[in-house]
Structures are given as structure tokens and as C-alpha cells.
Amino acid sequence: MPLTPDQLAEIEAARTTPRPTLRAVSEGIEAHLYRAHQVLDHGFVRVIDYMGDDAAIVQAARVSYGAGTRHVSNDEGLIRYLMRHWHSTPFEMCEIKLHVKLPVFVARQWIRHRTANVNEYSARYSILDREFYIPAPEHLAAQSTVNNQGRGEVLTGEEAARVLEMLKSDAGRAYDHYQDMLSQEGQQGLARELARMNLPANIYTQWYWKVDLHNLFHFLRLRADAHAQYEIRVYAEAICRVVADWVPIAYGAFQDYRMGGVTLSAKAVDCVRRMLKGEVVTQETSGMSKGEWREFEGVIG
């Protein structure tokens, strides 16, 4: 179960006792407050708090840039202008705090985004639950032969069964030893801060993660991308659905200019111009490496 009975009771109490406020309210994200959106087999994402909305971005931009941007006639146009021209500080006026339950190996990937405030569940003071991420069969893949960071063909048959059994048995055995090492009745046992080092990387941890919208968009651009690792991508996709309801205008601009757009090098722009003039351009005449040309073809092909 993703949430404990105590957490469910806390959510129910919070949602049944609304309070009036004078601060800016986003109706879209209010529906997400405290609710857990399940991710993977035991994980979740839930919104704990937020600050600001689309109007807060516009307000900050007009204070910051003054008359220089007042030719933009409406909020959507201004937000799209800011996104298009890579202005960041107006988007930093919005913040969100999430409660996330995720496997440790996903957390170690996630924490590389160092522009957030994080407070993680401590296994020095508490005992971790016996919950492990075990991939569904369709996500159990071999190493890619062309990408050192990616996956290749999905495992099938006896090989898939063998790997799944190892994942399950190794995780269970490590947790059994973890419990055996901890202090028990009548035994002194090993300190929790030491016993935890024997736990596998697929055990679940939890944290509170607070980030501003500018840095959240950077996280989502990388982690919601189709090439991102599946196990972190599904968390990013769940957050995308929340952000789309929170700041719909800003999220629409983000989709257009970041998720759906591309950045071209000076050489690539030169090739496009030459092609528009009717010139036949090849990798040899482009000035690009083979890798750059392959990526360029993927954009224009």
C-alpha cells in the first residue's frame, strides 16, 4: 500500500478542514493537495504545499522588466515570451513542495538536481519498511548495445524469470539480515545507522522535495524526456500532470519551447538555411561529426 493508515488519516483530516486565505490560489492544483498519485509498485507523489500561479509569473515579470515588456498584451503572450527567451527569475516566483516515495536508486539519480530543498526519511532513526521495487516484465530489459546508459531488448522466457527471481530473493535476503542485525528484545544488536548499509538500492525511501518552477521545469525537461530512465520518468510524468493543472499557461509554453522544441547549433542552422535555398547538404559538407549529423537528421527527418 503506497500510504500508511496514519498518512491516509492525515490527508482526510486536511481535506475536510479547509481554511480561508488571502493568498493567490490555483484552483487546478487545489484538487491535488495531499492526494497521493501512485507511481511504480509502491511509490507515490503528492502535493503538500505550493506558492503562486500563472499570474504570479506575470506580476514578477512586469515588476522586474517594467515598460520593456508591456507591449505584450496579455498574460499568456508574456509568459510565452519569457519562456521563449529563456528568462528564468519570473518562474522562480512559484514554488511547490512534494512528498515523494521512491526507490533509493531513483532517489540517487533525482538528487543530482541540486536546486531544490530536500529532507529525506532517515534510516539512522527509523526502520525502513520491507518494500522493494521489482520491475514489471515489460520493463526488464538487457543492456543496450549502442547506448551505455540505456536499455536494449526486453528479456523473455527463462532469462526473465531467472533475473526476476534473483531480484526478489536478493532483496528479501538483504532485508532479513537487516532485521536480524537490528536491536532485538534481549539482544543489543547493531546500530540502525550501520545496519542500513546492507539494504539494497531498490528499497523505498521517502522525502519532502521543495523546488521553484524554473528549476522544476529543468528537472522535467530532462526526466520526462522519452530517453530518460523509465523509473524516474514515470515520476516526472506524474509531476507534469500536476504542474499542468497548477500553472496551465506556463506549462503550455514549457511544452512548446522545451519539451517539444529543439536547440540547433550554429552549424545546424547554417545547414537548414542552405537546404532552404535548395542546396544538397551531406554529413561531409555540413561541418558536423557523424554523431551530430545523426542527431540533426533525427530533428529534420
Side-chain angles (χ1 to χ4, degrees), residues 127-147:
I127 298 174
L128 290 173
D129 293 331
R130 190 187 185 100
E131 289 182 318
F132 314 103
Y133 168 64
I134 303 297
E138 64 269 24
H139 299 298
L140 202 65
Q143 176 63 44
S144 170
T145 57
V146 295
N147 182 353

Side-chain angles (χ1 to χ4, degrees), residues 1-5 7-8 11 35-46 99-102 129 131 204-206 235:
M1 181 174 64
L3 290 172
T4 66
Q7 288 172 327
L8 290 170
I11 292 169
R35 296 190 187 278
H37 300 281
Q38 187 164 354
V39 185
L40 298 179
D41 46 3
H42 301 292
F44 61 75
V45 171
R46 65 180 183 130
H99 178 196
V100 186
K101 183 177 180 182
L102 68 173
D129 293 331
E131 289 182 318
Y204 274 84
T205 185
Q206 300 183 39
Y235 281 94

Side-chain angles (χ1 to χ4, degrees), residues 75-296:
D75 289 358
E76 182 173 6
L78 175 54
I79 287 174
R80 291 180 66 82
Y81 173 89
L82 295 169
M83 184 70 71
R84 188 164 64 250
H85 292 277
W86 295 86
H87 292 292
S88 58
T89 50
F91 296 101
E92 293 173 1
M93 298 300 108
C94 295
E95 291 190 345
I96 190 168
K97 180 164 67 176
L98 302 173
H99 178 196
V100 186
K101 183 177 180 182
L102 68 173
V104 166
F105 74 94
V106 176
R108 298 304 160 252
Q109 212 178 15
W110 193 313
I111 204 67
R112 290 176 60 82
H113 297 266
R114 298 183 294 274
T115 50
N117 304 112
V118 185
N119 198 54
E120 186 174 0
Y121 184 95
S122 176
R124 292 187 66 194
Y125 306 112
S126 303
I127 298 174
L128 290 173
D129 293 331
R130 190 187 185 100
E131 289 182 318
F132 314 103
Y133 168 64
I134 303 297
E138 64 269 24
H139 299 298
L140 202 65
Q143 176 63 44
S144 170
T145 57
V146 295
N147 182 353
N148 290 333
Q149 295 187 75
R151 304 182 188 186
E153 296 294 323
V154 174
L155 300 180
T156 58
E158 292 183 2
E159 179 65 3
R162 184 180 72 88
V163 170
L164 275 175
E165 177 56 32
M166 283 194 292
L167 288 172
K168 293 175 182 178
S169 60
D170 286 354
R173 186 180 304 110
Y175 194 88
D176 288 342
H177 291 165
Y178 168 66
Q179 283 188 309
D180 289 344
M181 287 187 288
L182 293 171
S183 300
Q184 305 290 332
E185 291 184 13
Q187 297 179 347
Q188 187 173 6
L190 188 66
R192 291 171 183 172
E193 67 179 25
L194 289 172
R196 63 180 174 167
M197 67 184 174
N198 199 47
L199 291 169
N202 66 334
I203 199 166
Y204 274 84
T205 185
Q206 300 183 39
W207 63 29
Y208 273 34
W209 193 69
K210 181 172 73 70
V211 66
D212 66 62
L213 184 59
H214 166 64
N215 286 297
L216 178 58
F217 277 153
H218 178 68
F219 171 85
L220 295 176
R221 183 174 68 84
L222 296 175
R223 302 306 184 180
D225 184 88
H227 299 95
Q229 182 175 341
Y230 167 78
E231 283 78 13
I232 197 169
R233 189 174 75 243
V234 289
Y235 281 94
E237 289 170 347
I239 296 171
C240 279
R241 291 189 286 272
V242 170
V243 176
D245 289 338
W246 172 29
V247 282
I249 296 175
Y251 185 76
F254 167 72
Q255 281 191 307
D256 279 352
Y257 295 116
R258 300 291 183 270
M259 297 299 287
V262 295
T263 300
L264 295 179
S265 67
K267 290 178 180 178
V269 171
D270 178 64
C271 287
V272 170
R273 288 173 176 159
R274 289 158 59 190
M275 290 174 174
L276 289 173
K277 293 177 182 178
E279 182 179 340
V280 176
V281 181
T282 65
Q283 186 263 312
E284 291 74 15
T285 62
S286 68
M288 301 184 203
S289 68
K290 290 182 179 178
E292 289 175 312
W293 182 254
R294 183 170 58 250
E295 293 173 5
F296 176 65

